[in-house]
Structures are given as structure tokens and as C-alpha cells.
Amino acid sequence: MGRNVVEKILAAHLVAGELIPGQEIAIRMDQTLTQDATGTMAYLQFESMGMDCARTELSVSYVDHNTIQVGFENADDHAYLRSVAQRYGLVYSRPGNGICHQLHLERFGKPGQTLLGSDSHTPTGGGIGMLAIGAGGIDVAVAMGGGPFYLTCPKVTRVLLTGALQAGVSAKDLILLVLSIYGTNGNVGRVLEYAGPGLASLDVPARATITNMGAELGVTTSVFPSDALTRKFLAAQGRSADWAELVADPDASYDQTLALDLATVVPMAACPHSPGNVAAVATLAGRRVNQVLIGSCTNSSYRDLKTVALLLRGKKIHPDVEVGVAPGSRQVVLMLAQEGLLTDLVAAGVRILENACGFCIGNHMSPGTDAVSLRTSNRNFEARSGTASAQVYLVSPETAAAAALTGVFTDPRLLGTLPTVAEPAQFTIDDSMFQFVATAGTGVPGTTIVRGPNIGTVPANAPLPEQLQGVAVIKVGEKITTDHIMPAGARLKYRSNVPAYSQYVFEPVDKEFAKRAAANREAGRHNVIVAGESYGQGSSREHAAMCPMYLGVKAVLAKSIERIHLANLINFGIVPFAFANPADYDAIATNDRLTMPNLRAAVAGDGRAILRNETQGLDIPVVTTLSSRQKRLLLAGGLLPAVARGEA
Ligand code: MIC
Ligand code: SF4
């Protein structure tokens, strides 16, 4: 039987387990990436595991999230990361170089290789034929030290593409269409593999937009084959030697197939407050827009921004709309400048923003009260923009440019002649903002690691208690994202300092949460979080597990939990329980006393247990489905304690 692309990469990297969907497997990671917001903690954990140097083929530490530098904290983080890179043999990407995923695609991604990144949009690398997966920082630290990455062997869905996109319709519209079909939950344990004759009209930046936003589906990752277009992109990046062909065998099989005709795709928008809440732009036409922001790791490539510049050339933005453009990388900025396209943008009235995450993570450019903001980014979770009442829509660069000109939602196909941007034969290459360590593979052992006062320590955890003597410290609803649990934006600068950051757990939902949780912890009560479907959607930020752990959370009881967050909970010793009967969600209220006399035994055994709601006098059957490795981690109190005891 032939193999699909996913199976080929998995088989070539398998170190434990069998390629049977649903079973836990372990794979070797060729490359890792971190970004600064998750990276400081990842490297603190790497240090505390006593690793001597990076053992991957390539590990890159990017700085792209915390670049605002209001106060000393961001700059201290950068200095720490730079010194760690030198010490342990990593490539360091300086602030100003660009967004990790765009840069990694341009300069380092290799077809057929595996990549683990401490950022949920690491699957961007799937656009170049990598198996690229997002994970918590500690998992990346382990992979960086040469350890395997554990995952559930995925089912593979083939997305069979025919036809070609119409003018004015682009890759963003296609992934929004896929999101409208599959939604943002219920897709755990699956990989999307794109195939079919339609691939011929999707270049690597388009493919990367699609795999990037596959993260919003909750799939493990998304992958394109590596073909002639991949070869062309790598050649234009001066990296022909990195190309290798990787296509599915003709008789490869898939768990399911979704057939899409690209010619039928129309401009789409994800409406507030979920990337899965998708509508055709035509149905929103005429609605007023206050802000348009173009950029983020989804849509900040040379192709995307040149398209926008050409649409705005010789015109002015609408007087009632604020427009910002944040290029994805320094390469993109240089090329826009060299071709005079920056002039087009500035002349039209666009605010040129830093080539960094910036607005996407609510780090600046928050919209006004109740404002309508159109963004080319990938997440429109409530309050992520920094303004709780803002209405954020996710659209393509073409739809964003159309609204910038007209001041209202406008189907870009109505703009008249639309530009087609061909991939350049040669991208502008200047790697001078990377710090390469001459002694990769050993690092520079004598390097002094720079630790400013914002660089904290890794919090410790005790082994799992015999009994749960708990309280439902909070009860939240469906699709609670990690942005709800551990807000970024203005709070992002506390990432290296867990006690400080922990004060903001659940801040967007319940400002009193941290105080209540700390009081329970001091009183010797275990905190339990109760949640609905798809708890922990969104980012890879392990702080959404680490900070609750710090506040004494011992269990999350939810209808379902998303993949990366589930792994993070286990890594920090928090037991992920599911309701055996989802209707029992109604049998618990905030502050109810919850007990389980055999917590440890339940985790060590078959995962079935009864949670007693002492307040309401009810018994609630719950279940946790764990591999033997996950049981060991939970019983030890998490991955770090397990490593320290030689039980990981
Ligand atoms: C995001 O887009 O939410 C982030 C910020 O990039 C996160 C990582 C983080 O929280 O630092 C992600 O996607 O994993
Ligand atoms: Fe940065 Fe936004 Fe991409 Fe996250 S989604 S990596 S914040 S640009």
C-alpha cells in the first residue's frame, strides 16, 4: 500500500510506537523554533533540565512578539535569549528581522523535515512540505535537547483541489472556506494534506497562508507536497539545495477526502468572535469599517503586500478608516522599498507598522470602543485586539485593501482590474539580522547568560496528591481560548515572570479569579476549572497551564480539550478530565466543593473515576484517557519533576 505525504514524513522520523491513527507515537524533530513570548520560559526549562547544547539539526530563537519595549522587560528578555542562543548553539533572530513563521519559511524550512515550534502557527512550515507542529515550550525544550516529541498518530484528511482561484480571491478565502466546513473544534488528532491539480495555482506563500490558519481548525498540522513550485520558491530564496521532492504515492490512502473546486471560492470573512464564524464578504457588503490592519504570520508575504500596494497605488484610503500594514519580514520590507511599493502605501495614507506580531496579539493598534476592525490575521477571539467591545473580522489582503479604499465591506472583485503578483525570480536575501553561532552543536560553554530582573525561575510542582479536596474555582462556557485563560497584549511582558503573570489568569473573564484561586491554595483546597467544549483553543502558550498550576489548579474538567492545551496541562501536572456524560456540566456551579478520594489511583488506573459534588450531593462520572507516559508525568507533578526523577 502506498503512503501519503504525512505517513512518509512520520515513518522517516518515528522513534517509538506504530503508525496506527489514535495511538501515541514519538518522532524525532529535525528543527525547532521558539519565539520570545514562549521562548524565555522554554529556555529556562531547557536550562533547568541540565541540557548542555541543542542537539537538533537547526534550532532558531526568534524575537517577534514582545518588541514594543515599553519598560525594561522586553529588552531584558531579548538579552537573555541572545545569550542563551550563543551558549547553547542556536540561531538567534534579532528584533526587527520579522515574524518567526515568515522568516522560517523564507530562510530555513526544508521539505520532508520535521519542525517543532513553541507557537501554534508553526504549521506554516507545512506550506513548504514540512511536518511542522506547534507545542508548549517545554516540549520544544525537550526536542531541542534531542528528545522525541510525543503525539497521537493522526488521521489524514485529503483536501483535493481542482480548478484555480478567481482574480480577487486568494488563499485566505480558501482556508476560511475550509474553516466554515470543519469549524474550530472536533478536529483534534487529524492532519490535512492538500492534493490535486489545483495545487499548480498555489505558490508557497499561498500554501503557507493555508497551513498557517489550519491551526484554527485545531488539527495537528496541515501539509502540502513538495513539488516544482516549492523548488521554484526555494531557488528564489537562494536555497535550491534544500529542495527535495515529496509527493504522495498514487495508491496512498486517506481517512477521508474533502473535494474543493478553487474556481467556486468567493471572498470570505470570519466574523466576531471566532475564526470559524465565516460568511461571504458579499453578504456583509456596505457595512461600515473603522480600522484595517494588514499583516501577521498569515498574510504578510511579499505577494500579499505587493497586491495591497498595487490596489492602493495612486489612490487615498477612505477618510474614516485607519489603515496599518505590518510586513512579515525584513526581506518583505526591503523588497517593498526597492520596488517603490512602500511609497504607494505611504502615499495612500497607510501607517507602516513594525515587521513583527504587533497588532495581531493586541500589542498595539487596539481599535476604539465598538469599532469594526478588518484584519488579515488568523484570530478574532473576543478582546484579543485589546478592546473587548471591538468587532474583529478576518479577511484576505484583497478584501482588506478594498475596505481601506471604500470605508465599507466591499467584495474586492468589484474593484475593477485586479493585480496578479508573480513570485520573483530572486528574493532579496540579507541574513545579517540573524546571529549564527560558529560552534553550532556545542554552543559556547563559557557564555554568560544575561538575566535582568524580569527573568524569573521555573515554578516547581509537587507530585499529584492521593485525594482531590477541591473547589470549582471557575465555571466557564464553550470554546474558551488561551487568550481568555492567559491574556497576551498588555500583559505579554510578564511571560518570563510566572508570579507576576499569574495575577492575570482569566482576567478577560473574571478579574477576581487569581485572588480566589490563591486564597483556595492557601487554605489547602485544590482548584478545579470546569469548562464546556473545546477548552484551550488557540495558542500554544504553556503559561495557560503553568500559571494555573502556580495558583494551585489540580484538574480541568471539560466537555473536550484542544490538543496543545491538553498536552500543556499534563506537562504541568494538571489532570485533564472529561465528563463521562456531557450533560453533567450542569451539575456543578462555581465554588461547589468537589472531592475525589482516589485521584492518584484513577490517574494510574483506567482513568475512570467519580467526582463527588459535596455541595450539591451529586456523584459525577468523569474520565481521563492517558498513555502510560502521560500517567507518569501527571503522577510526578508534570514533565520537569518527572525528568528530575528520571521518570519522563
Ligand atoms: C498567538 O498567536 O496567540 C501567539 C501569541 O503567537 C501564541 C503564542 C504565545 O502565546 O506566545 C501562539 O499562537 O501559540
Ligand atoms: Fe505572531 Fe499573530 Fe502569528 Fe501569533 S498569530 S505568531 S501573534 S503574527
Side-chain angles (χ1 to χ4, degrees), residues 242-255:
D242 289 345
W243 182 75
E245 187 177 51
L246 180 64
V247 294
D249 293 330
D251 57 342
S253 67
Y254 295 86
D255 177 63

PDB file of all heavy atoms in Angstrom, residues 242-255:
ATOM      1  N   ASP A 242      18.190  22.914  -0.700  1.00  0.00           N
ATOM      2  CA  ASP A 242      17.296  22.443   0.371  1.00  0.00           C
ATOM      3  C   ASP A 242      16.051  21.740  -0.177  1.00  0.00           C
ATOM      4  O   ASP A 242      15.258  21.198   0.582  1.00  0.00           O
ATOM      5  CB  ASP A 242      16.847  23.619   1.256  1.00  0.00           C
ATOM      6  CG  ASP A 242      17.980  24.136   2.121  1.00  0.00           C
ATOM      7  OD1 ASP A 242      18.985  23.412   2.243  1.00  0.00           O
ATOM      8  OD2 ASP A 242      17.861  25.250   2.651  1.00  0.00           O
ATOM      9  N   TRP A 243      15.865  21.788  -1.505  1.00  0.00           N
ATOM     10  CA  TRP A 243      14.647  21.199  -2.066  1.00  0.00           C
ATOM     11  C   TRP A 243      14.767  19.680  -2.182  1.00  0.00           C
ATOM     12  O   TRP A 243      15.836  19.135  -2.470  1.00  0.00           O
ATOM     13  CB  TRP A 243      14.358  21.780  -3.462  1.00  0.00           C
ATOM     14  CG  TRP A 243      13.079  21.231  -4.037  1.00  0.00           C
ATOM     15  CD1 TRP A 243      11.814  21.562  -3.677  1.00  0.00           C
ATOM     16  CD2 TRP A 243      12.954  20.229  -5.057  1.00  0.00           C
ATOM     17  NE1 TRP A 243      10.899  20.838  -4.411  1.00  0.00           N
ATOM     18  CE2 TRP A 243      11.566  20.005  -5.270  1.00  0.00           C
ATOM     19  CE3 TRP A 243      13.867  19.492  -5.817  1.00  0.00           C
ATOM     20  CZ2 TRP A 243      11.078  19.097  -6.208  1.00  0.00           C
ATOM     21  CZ3 TRP A 243      13.366  18.578  -6.756  1.00  0.00           C
ATOM     22  CH2 TRP A 243      11.995  18.390  -6.933  1.00  0.00           C
ATOM     23  N   ALA A 244      13.690  19.001  -1.904  1.00  0.00           N
ATOM     24  CA  ALA A 244      13.585  17.565  -2.179  1.00  0.00           C
ATOM     25  C   ALA A 244      12.140  17.326  -2.571  1.00  0.00           C
ATOM     26  O   ALA A 244      11.237  17.961  -2.006  1.00  0.00           O
ATOM     27  CB  ALA A 244      13.935  16.762  -0.934  1.00  0.00           C
ATOM     28  N   GLU A 245      11.931  16.473  -3.542  1.00  0.00           N
ATOM     29  CA  GLU A 245      10.541  16.199  -3.943  1.00  0.00           C
ATOM     30  C   GLU A 245       9.865  15.337  -2.878  1.00  0.00           C
ATOM     31  O   GLU A 245      10.485  14.440  -2.302  1.00  0.00           O
ATOM     32  CB  GLU A 245      10.515  15.488  -5.286  1.00  0.00           C
ATOM     33  CG  GLU A 245       9.094  15.342  -5.794  1.00  0.00           C
ATOM     34  CD  GLU A 245       9.021  14.707  -7.171  1.00  0.00           C
ATOM     35  OE1 GLU A 245       9.633  13.632  -7.376  1.00  0.00           O
ATOM     36  OE2 GLU A 245       8.354  15.290  -8.024  1.00  0.00           O
ATOM     37  N   LEU A 246       8.614  15.625  -2.605  1.00  0.00           N
ATOM     38  CA  LEU A 246       7.871  14.814  -1.634  1.00  0.00           C
ATOM     39  C   LEU A 246       6.404  14.831  -2.030  1.00  0.00           C
ATOM     40  O   LEU A 246       5.711  15.841  -1.855  1.00  0.00           O
ATOM     41  CB  LEU A 246       8.045  15.396  -0.229  1.00  0.00           C
ATOM     42  CG  LEU A 246       7.316  14.634   0.889  1.00  0.00           C
ATOM     43  CD1 LEU A 246       7.864  13.226   1.046  1.00  0.00           C
ATOM     44  CD2 LEU A 246       7.450  15.394   2.195  1.00  0.00           C
ATOM     45  N   VAL A 247       5.966  13.753  -2.629  1.00  0.00           N
ATOM     46  CA  VAL A 247       4.563  13.671  -3.051  1.00  0.00           C
ATOM     47  C   VAL A 247       3.973  12.347  -2.567  1.00  0.00           C
ATOM     48  O   VAL A 247       4.709  11.397  -2.279  1.00  0.00           O
ATOM     49  CB  VAL A 247       4.416  13.785  -4.595  1.00  0.00           C
ATOM     50  CG1 VAL A 247       4.828  15.161  -5.084  1.00  0.00           C
ATOM     51  CG2 VAL A 247       5.231  12.710  -5.303  1.00  0.00           C
ATOM     52  N   ALA A 248       2.667  12.297  -2.501  1.00  0.00           N
ATOM     53  CA  ALA A 248       2.010  11.055  -2.068  1.00  0.00           C
ATOM     54  C   ALA A 248       2.145  10.000  -3.161  1.00  0.00           C
ATOM     55  O   ALA A 248       2.192  10.331  -4.350  1.00  0.00           O
ATOM     56  CB  ALA A 248       0.537  11.347  -1.802  1.00  0.00           C
ATOM     57  N   ASP A 249       2.214   8.736  -2.757  1.00  0.00           N
ATOM     58  CA  ASP A 249       2.207   7.654  -3.746  1.00  0.00           C
ATOM     59  C   ASP A 249       0.840   7.633  -4.425  1.00  0.00           C
ATOM     60  O   ASP A 249      -0.173   7.986  -3.798  1.00  0.00           O
ATOM     61  CB  ASP A 249       2.459   6.305  -3.055  1.00  0.00           C
ATOM     62  CG  ASP A 249       3.877   6.223  -2.497  1.00  0.00           C
ATOM     63  OD1 ASP A 249       4.771   6.865  -3.080  1.00  0.00           O
ATOM     64  OD2 ASP A 249       4.069   5.545  -1.470  1.00  0.00           O
ATOM     65  N   PRO A 250       0.788   7.190  -5.691  1.00  0.00           N
ATOM     66  CA  PRO A 250      -0.505   7.199  -6.404  1.00  0.00           C
ATOM     67  C   PRO A 250      -1.574   6.368  -5.686  1.00  0.00           C
ATOM     68  O   PRO A 250      -2.762   6.684  -5.750  1.00  0.00           O
ATOM     69  CB  PRO A 250      -0.172   6.605  -7.772  1.00  0.00           C
ATOM     70  CG  PRO A 250       1.316   6.666  -7.896  1.00  0.00           C
ATOM     71  CD  PRO A 250       1.898   6.743  -6.518  1.00  0.00           C
ATOM     72  N   ASP A 251      -1.163   5.308  -4.984  1.00  0.00           N
ATOM     73  CA  ASP A 251      -2.154   4.465  -4.304  1.00  0.00           C
ATOM     74  C   ASP A 251      -2.237   4.765  -2.799  1.00  0.00           C
ATOM     75  O   ASP A 251      -2.685   3.927  -2.011  1.00  0.00           O
ATOM     76  CB  ASP A 251      -1.830   2.980  -4.532  1.00  0.00           C
ATOM     77  CG  ASP A 251      -0.420   2.624  -4.061  1.00  0.00           C
ATOM     78  OD1 ASP A 251       0.405   3.559  -3.882  1.00  0.00           O
ATOM     79  OD2 ASP A 251      -0.137   1.433  -3.872  1.00  0.00           O
ATOM     80  N   ALA A 252      -1.801   5.961  -2.412  1.00  0.00           N
ATOM     81  CA  ALA A 252      -1.889   6.329  -0.981  1.00  0.00           C
ATOM     82  C   ALA A 252      -3.347   6.373  -0.558  1.00  0.00           C
ATOM     83  O   ALA A 252      -4.231   6.693  -1.365  1.00  0.00           O
ATOM     84  CB  ALA A 252      -1.249   7.701  -0.768  1.00  0.00           C
ATOM     85  N   SER A 253      -3.599   6.064   0.710  1.00  0.00           N
ATOM     86  CA  SER A 253      -4.992   6.130   1.170  1.00  0.00           C
ATOM     87  C   SER A 253      -5.133   7.217   2.239  1.00  0.00           C
ATOM     88  O   SER A 253      -4.145   7.642   2.857  1.00  0.00           O
ATOM     89  CB  SER A 253      -5.444   4.773   1.705  1.00  0.00           C
ATOM     90  OG  SER A 253      -4.723   4.500   2.882  1.00  0.00           O
ATOM     91  N   TYR A 254      -6.365   7.643   2.437  1.00  0.00           N
ATOM     92  CA  TYR A 254      -6.666   8.720   3.385  1.00  0.00           C
ATOM     93  C   TYR A 254      -7.872   8.317   4.208  1.00  0.00           C
ATOM     94  O   TYR A 254      -8.715   7.537   3.754  1.00  0.00           O
ATOM     95  CB  TYR A 254      -6.961  10.029   2.624  1.00  0.00           C
ATOM     96  CG  TYR A 254      -5.752  10.546   1.876  1.00  0.00           C
ATOM     97  CD1 TYR A 254      -5.463  10.095   0.583  1.00  0.00           C
ATOM     98  CD2 TYR A 254      -4.880  11.447   2.465  1.00  0.00           C
ATOM     99  CE1 TYR A 254      -4.348  10.544  -0.095  1.00  0.00           C
ATOM    100  CE2 TYR A 254      -3.754  11.913   1.796  1.00  0.00           C
ATOM    101  CZ  TYR A 254      -3.492  11.450   0.507  1.00  0.00           C
ATOM    102  OH  TYR A 254      -2.377  11.895  -0.147  1.00  0.00           O
ATOM    103  N   ASP A 255      -7.988   8.905   5.368  1.00  0.00           N
ATOM    104  CA  ASP A 255      -9.135   8.621   6.220  1.00  0.00           C
ATOM    105  C   ASP A 255     -10.409   9.203   5.609  1.00  0.00           C
ATOM    106  O   ASP A 255     -11.479   8.619   5.689  1.00  0.00           O
ATOM    107  CB  ASP A 255      -8.879   9.229   7.608  1.00  0.00           C
ATOM    108  CG  ASP A 255     -10.050   9.053   8.528  1.00  0.00           C
ATOM    109  OD1 ASP A 255     -10.370   7.894   8.823  1.00  0.00           O
ATOM    110  OD2 ASP A 255     -10.666  10.065   8.915  1.00  0.00           O
TER     111      ASP A 255
END
